[in-house]
Structure formats: C-alpha cells, structure tokens
Amino acid sequence: MIEKTLSIIKPDGVRKNIIGEVIKRFEANGLKVAAAKMKHLSLKEAQGFYAVHSARPFFSSLCEFMTSGPVLLMVLKGEGAIAKNRELMGATDPAKAAPGTIRKDFADSIESNIAHGSDAPETAAFEIGYFFSGLEIFE
Ligand code: ADP
Ligand code: MG
C-alpha cells in the first residue's frame, strides 16, 4: 500500500550536516519526498508533537533537545513508507540499531538519534497534519 509518513531530521542531524546523506537513503529505497521544510520548533510545538511521551522520564530532556536547533520536517511517500522509514532509521537506541541503519551510522545516543519516523498509520496522519497543510504536500 502506498503510504505517507512523517520524517524529521532532528537538530543533531542538521548540525552534523547529513541532511543529504539521510535523504539519499530514503530516495535509494523507494521513498519520495512529498513535502519538506526547515523549522526551529518552539518548546510548545515540541511538547505537543511528543505529547504521547509526556509521562516519560525523558520527556523534558527530549523536548529541550528537539528545540536545540532547526529540524527538517518531511513527508515521505511510497510503498509501505511507514515501516520502510523505520527500517532505514533502525532501533531507537543506536547501540541496538542494525548495521547500515541511519541511527547506527550517525547517532550519538538514544536521545540524540538523528531521525524521527511515524510508527503507525494513525500517528502518521496526526504527525503530518501537525506540521503540514494539504497544500504543502505534493502528490
Ligand atoms: P522512536 O523515535 O524510535 O519511535 P520513541 O517513540 O520510543 O522512539 O521515543 C521518541 C524519542 O524519544 C526517541 O527517538 C528519542 O529521541 C527519545 N527517547 C526514547 N527513549 C529514550 C530514553 N530512554 N532516554 C532518552 N531519550 C529517549
Ligand atoms: Mg516513536
């Protein structure tokens, strides 16, 4: 099934100057960039985005990290895009991520892990709508 998913290159990925490297991996694996914009999230925007994690011990640190610099927000589109994006990113903790994945290759820690990807159709719909209007997504 052709799906859309939200991808974020987090502030550490932007700082490391690997935007192109990450997008290259998406494109090489059949995902298309359907929307993209850079944004420096406010604390409120980060907290709203990660609201499902608000009870977690790492929530405030995570939101601080996500507002530490600009991010690249993208909508990726393609066959099985949600699972494909997560497969390319690898496990949340780079120490546990499979060889050749984005997080294994570039991430410094379980928090500073380079990329975000929606984990299910419902979260993809919420997350895409959180950052993009329909007019900003190219079919
Ligand atoms: P994923 O991004 O792989 O879907 P989660 O949804 O579980 O992972 O967590 C969201 C984000 O919160 C992670 O990508 C990471 O930046 C951060 N995070 C997750 N677990 C931890 C942790 N134990 N300590 C610090 N930060 C964490
Ligand atoms: Mg998640």
Side-chain angles (χ1 to χ4, degrees), residues 47-115:
Q47 288 167 338
F49 180 74
Y50 278 123
V52 292
H53 294 310
S54 60
R56 302 284 198 89
F58 58 81
F59 180 67
S60 70
S61 176
L62 171 63
C63 292
E64 198 175 305
F65 162 62
M66 288 300 289
T67 59
S68 67
V71 298
L72 182 69
L73 305 166
M74 287 181 283
V75 177
L76 302 177
K77 188 178 170 185
E79 185 63 36
I82 295 168
K84 173 64 70 180
N85 180 33
R86 290 189 65 90
E87 179 191 323
L88 294 171
M89 287 195 302
T92 308
D93 182 352
K96 295 180 184 150
T101 59
I102 290 165
R103 284 164 165 172
K104 180 68 169 190
D105 288 348
F106 302 114
D108 291 332
S109 71
I110 192 169
E111 179 177 270
S112 295
N113 61 1
I114 303 288

